[in-house]
Every structure is written in C-alpha cells, then in structure tokens.
Amino acid sequence: MSGAVLVVDFGAQYAQLIARRVREAHVYSEIVPASITAADVRARGPVALILSGGPSSVYETARAPRLDPAIYELGLPMLGICYGAQLLALQLGGTVERTGAGEYGRTTLRRAEDPGVLLADHDAESTCWMSHGDAIAAAPPGFCVTASTPGAPVAAMEDDVRCLYGVQFHPEVAHTPGGTALLARFLARAGAAPTWTEASIVAEQVAAVRAAVGEQRALCALSGGVDSAVAAALVLRAIGERLTCVFVDTGLMRAGEGEQIEATFRDAFGVDLIHVRAGERFLRALSGVTDPEAKRKIIGELFIREFEAVARALEAAGTRPRFLVQGTLYPDVIESGGGHAATIKSHHNVGGLPADLDFTLVEPLRRLFKDEVRAVGTELGLPDALVWRQPFPGPGLAVRIVGEVTPERVAIVRAADAIIAQEIAAAGLTRELWQSFAVLPALRTVGVMGDGRTYGHPIVIRAVTSEDAMTADWARLPYDLVEAMASRLVREVPGVNRVVLDVTSKPPGTIEWE
C-alpha cells in the first residue's frame, strides 16, 4: 500500500506492537520480512521504514539478518529500534561492540544537551525499556548522539538531514514513558499523513469489495464472533441484498448466540440469513471422540459439508454465490507466513476450506488487528454486545471440553460459561479481558453438599489479558469476583462441585485448553 510505514521484522517479539503503535497514530503500517529487497520496497512505495529489534547479534555474520544496503539509497526516512538501531549504525559506518554487560528492563535514559528531533520533549533524565547485550559505541558519520544510558553510550542517535534515527530502547512498549510521542514525532518528520481511520477503512474496503464482486453474489459464514460479523457488515454495505449469510449452528455455541445473530443480521440489518440447525448431527459425529485434534477435524469437516449443502441448494435455485466472505485478520496472515489468503489455519476458521470448494475469497479484514475490527464494527453500526464479544474458537465449546463431547457436558460448560460472562460484565471487566470462559476437564472430583458426598465435575475459570492473542497473561481477577463466580457455578450448574482458577500465561500454555 503506497504511503504506508513498513516495519522490517528482524525476529522481534515486539514487531506487531510497533505496527500497532503506528496504526494508533492513524498511519497505516505493514510488517515485512528482513529479506525484503530495495526493489520490493520501491514497488510498495512506503513513506518510511522502521527497523525492529531482534534476538541476533549484528556480529553473527552467518545468521544475523541484514538489511539490503541498497535500501539506504532510496532516501526514505528510517527509525531503527534496538537491533534495528545497531544494524543502522553498523551498515552506515558506526561501531557496535559487545559490552559484556547488557541492559534489560527499566533503565535510566539521560538526554544529551542537544536532544535532536525525537527526544525534544523528553526530560533530561527519564526511564526507558531496554533489552540488549551489544551496544552502539560510535554513531555513524553525520549522526549526533542525543541520549545515553549506563550501558549504552549511544542510546539514541539521529541524522535529521537524511531523516535517519536510531534508539537502543523500545519506545513501542508501555514501560517507556513518552515512547508513543517519540514514534509520533518520527511519523510527523517522515511526512506520514494520519489518514488511517475507521471511516477510511470502511470506504476503502467497500470500494474494493464492489470492484471484486461486481454483479455476482457472495456467501458469508457467520460464526457468532466479531470477525465474521464485521466482515459480513462490510460486504453487506458494499453489495446489499446480493449477500447471503449462513449460520451453521453446531450445537456448540455460547448461550443465546443463535438468537443474537438472527436479531442482528436478519431483523436489524435485513440480511438474507440461512440458519442451519445441525447440533444433533455434530454431537453424533463427536460421540466417543476424545483426541482434541480429531475433534477439530470432525467439526471442520462437518461444517464444510453443511456449508456445501447450502451452496448446492442456492445453485439449484439459480442464485449460487461465486464469492465467499472470510473474517481473516492481519495476525492470521502474519502467523501463516503472509501466504495466499486461502491458506487458513485450522484453529481460526473451523478447520479451513478444502481446495476443491469453488469460491473466490473475499477477505475485507485481512489487514486489520482485532481492535481495528471492533472500531470498524462500531463505524458500521453493529451493536456493542456483538462488537465487544470476546473471541470464540471456530470449533466452539468443544475445545473447552477436555475429553468426549456429550450433550450433558456441553450443557454444563455452556451454563458455566454464561455465569462467568455475567459476573465479568457485572464487574465491568469485559472490555479489559481478552477472553474469560469456563473449561470442563475430563475428570471428576469428590465433594460434599447438604451433608452428603458428591462425585461431580470441576470447572476451570480461564481469564486472560492480551492485545492480539499471540501472547497472553492470566488476568488478576479480584478475589471477591472469583468467589462470586465460584459460588454461582457450584450452586446453579447441576453436577459441578468444585471450581479452580487457571493462572498460566501464554507461553508456556495456550489460551484455550484444547
């Protein structure tokens, strides 16, 4: 996309965060691999480059990623962060040394007498977030040093004439006060226009969908989650009544999910909605199956078969859609290596699509992060209850039931999930949590109720905070909230006699249990 900021990824844990911070400044950004060539950059026509951090040492000549030297000759504004700053210094004639005493975590940053452009508003002494072993010992010719730390004599440097900047610390993380302002000053100096807004995204994608679909029809699989809902709303605005939505009710949905989808799309938006009630068929297919990957494959395969049946019926009626709407997001593209849009991960879109499914994909959200999708949903007029719905796995409650999926166990976890959602909402924490839900393990536990022995089910409360689900931390829920949930779960869900709290982050665990 012309006018974008390209974030060159050198293996950084924060590359996505850099891209997100740029977008928060209303400037479009994309993550590109370190192998990108000058010709590739020129073809993309970016307004600036940001070189990310990374785990390598610039001296590991055999393994350390390098930037194509010809890119420096393009005259683009550039900001190097951590490894990116060291690479910038090394490739332009500076010196990088292995100090033997790295800096990790919060570090005192001392601004030079001349703070340059990026640190103009920084205090003489402030805090920054460091994570490095090597350090820039001497800036390249033409650069001035604008800040230092005890372990980094060149913690910030710039050549404002050529719009080249480098910082050893991480301005993209919340632990660096003033980091967002620093990035904003770089973007302003680079001439990056703040035009990436919800309204511009909607207008651009509506135009793109109209151009792609033309006068044909499109089909969209609604899952109950925000991604498919926003994708459907975007395409609806683009082609109107030529969109048909299909909601395959697997019997593994959250409480009230089907009703909410119908109320939103059929009643409020007037969408041609086909509601396939296939719960009994899915539960029969899952009978006796305990392996998590086998469950996913069964659900994915049956979902596709139900979807194909709808497509055949529409074709028989003379209204066969030629396009398929998918709610693929930008993190999905990144995790899949940026391959063709039809490459869909099994954990994302209910098992993926078979190669012989004869549709052309329409993916209006594939350049967006989750928070941007929510903002676009609000712009399109979707209700908050749907826009702010927490992410929900394609296989539904089946991945929150460890072991066999039976009607009884689905009923238990659905009721437990509803109670957790109600209490989280009552505590005003819904938007602060990435996900919160109930898990039903494959075991029973002894308890006592009414002076009698019980042999019932434990429920695991899982609640995490995250920005994009690639990493997550367990949520520190208030004890009184945990107590309220536990009390209701044991009292109101038949068969439950114990409640535990999952305090595992990702990594090493995953957000879902299966």
Side-chain angles (χ1 to χ4, degrees):
M1 178 178 179
S2 179
V5 170
L6 299 183
V7 178
V8 184
D9 184 8
F10 291 101
Q13 59 177 321
Y14 295 134
Q16 278 204 51
L17 187 55
I18 296 171
R20 290 171 60 85
R21 293 290 181 257
V22 173
R23 292 191 185 191
E24 287 169 4
H26 301 297
V27 175
Y28 179 67
S29 63
E30 284 187 6
I31 299 173
V32 296
S35 58
I36 191 168
T37 66
D40 293 333
V41 172
R42 188 184 297 108
R44 287 172 174 266
V47 69
L49 299 182
I50 297 180
L51 312 183
S52 82
S56 301
S57 166
V58 293
Y59 292 113
E60 296 173 342
T61 54
R63 295 183 299 165
R66 289 285 192 269
L67 190 67
D68 179 356
I71 291 177
Y72 293 108
E73 300 174 10
L74 298 178
L76 290 169
M78 298 175 64
L79 170 63
I81 296 175
C82 196
Y83 178 89
Q86 294 173 6
L87 189 61
L88 188 73
L90 190 69
Q91 290 188 302
L92 294 180
T95 304
V96 180
E97 296 179 349
R98 191 181 299 276
T99 64
E103 292 176 311
Y104 303 94
R106 289 181 176 86
T107 306
T108 299
L109 181 74
R110 293 182 178 85
R111 196 192 69 183
E113 185 174 337
D114 179 2
V117 173
L118 297 193
L119 298 177
D121 295 334
H122 267 59
D123 294 334
E125 195 169 282
S126 59
T127 300
C128 66
W129 189 262
M130 286 284 200
S131 181
H132 70 98
D134 299 341
I136 302 170
F143 281 75
C144 62
V145 178
T146 57
S148 62
T149 66
V154 184
M157 63 180 189
E158 59 182 62
D159 179 347
D160 191 51
V161 174
R162 291 187 290 171
C163 278
L164 300 176
Y165 310 87
V167 293
Q168 182 63 67
F169 55 92
H170 290 274
E172 71 274 19
V173 303
H175 306 299
T176 298
T180 300
L182 185 153
L183 290 171
R185 283 192 289 275
F186 169 71
L187 295 173
R189 187 69 185 86
T195 58
W196 180 253
T197 64
E198 293 80 20
S200 71
I201 294 169
V202 170
E204 178 185 296
Q205 289 305 313
V206 165
V209 170
R210 284 175 179 162
V213 176
E215 297 302 314
Q216 297 292 325
R217 300 186 63 85
L219 199 62
C220 178
L222 286 174
S223 67
V226 63
D227 302 339
S228 65
V230 174
L234 259 173
V235 176
L236 176 66
R237 179 168 292 191
I239 65 173
E241 63 182 16
R242 287 182 288 117
L243 172 68
T244 297
C245 289
V246 180
F247 172 48
V248 177
D249 189 342
T250 63
L252 302 168
M253 313 305 290
R254 291 170 286 195
E257 199 130 46
E259 293 82 354
Q260 183 187 46
I261 289 174
E262 290 220 23
T264 299
F265 285 93
R266 176 177 287 161
D267 301 340
F269 284 85
V271 173
D272 178 19
L273 176 65
I274 298 173
H275 189 162
V276 181
R277 293 172 173 82
E280 289 186 7
R281 291 192 289 278
F282 276 85
L283 288 173
R284 278 200 305 270
L286 291 168
S287 178
V289 180
T290 59
D291 179 74
E293 189 60 24
K295 288 192 291 186
R296 286 177 177 272
K297 289 180 178 179
I298 289 169
I299 293 168
E301 174 71 17
L302 186 51
F303 181 91
I304 292 166
R305 299 288 81 86
E306 295 287 347
F307 201 77
E308 287 177 327
V310 172
R312 286 195 299 271
L314 291 171
E315 184 169 24
T319 57
R320 187 195 189 285
R322 298 296 175 184
F323 292 84
L324 177 63
V325 180
Q326 284 281 125
T328 307
L329 304 192
Y330 192 41
D332 306 322
V333 177
I334 296 170
E335 286 185 342
S336 64
H340 189 273
T343 303
I344 301 166
K345 300 171 296 175
S346 64
H347 70 274
H348 180 68
N349 279 325
V350 200
L353 298 176
D356 60 351
L357 197 61
D358 188 21
F359 288 101
T360 299
L361 287 183
V362 174
E363 297 177 305
L365 310 180
R366 75 185 311 269
R367 291 193 292 163
L368 305 185
F369 288 105
K370 177 71 78 170
D371 57 328
E372 294 171 321
V373 171
R374 295 191 196 279
V376 167
T378 299
E379 178 74 18
L380 289 166
L382 292 175
D384 280 356
L386 185 54
V387 168
W388 287 98
R389 194 144 213 196
Q390 293 181 353
F392 190 57
L397 296 176
V399 298
R400 295 174 181 173
I401 297 172
V402 181
E404 186 180 8
V405 178
T406 67
E408 176 202 12
R409 303 190 82 208
V410 171
I412 290 172
V413 79
R414 180 182 288 124
D417 182 80
I419 288 172
I420 290 173
Q422 291 162 12
E423 292 297 328
I424 291 290
L429 296 177
T430 301
R431 295 195 184 187
E432 294 184 23
L433 300 177
W434 179 263
Q435 281 176 274
S436 53
F437 53 87
V439 176
L440 181 62
L443 56 89
R444 287 180 178 265
T445 174
V446 173
V448 58
M449 291 182 181
D451 296 326
R453 178 184 183 276
T454 64
Y455 191 52
H457 301 280
I459 286 291
V460 179
I461 298 173
R462 180 65 162 151
V464 299
T465 58
S466 180
E467 287 195 339
D468 50 28
M470 299 192 76
T471 61
D473 193 15
W474 63 277
R476 275 63 170 175
L477 300 176
Y479 286 154
D480 57 350
L481 172 59
V482 176
E483 181 182 19
M485 289 190 290
S487 177
R488 286 192 61 191
L489 288 167
V490 173
R491 187 176 66 249
E492 299 178 27
V493 183
V496 171
N497 66 353
R498 189 181 299 268
V499 178
V500 298
L501 182 66
D502 185 346
V503 294
T504 312
S505 297
K506 176 187 178 182
T510 55
I511 295 177
E512 301 288 348
W513 271 47
E514 288 211 328

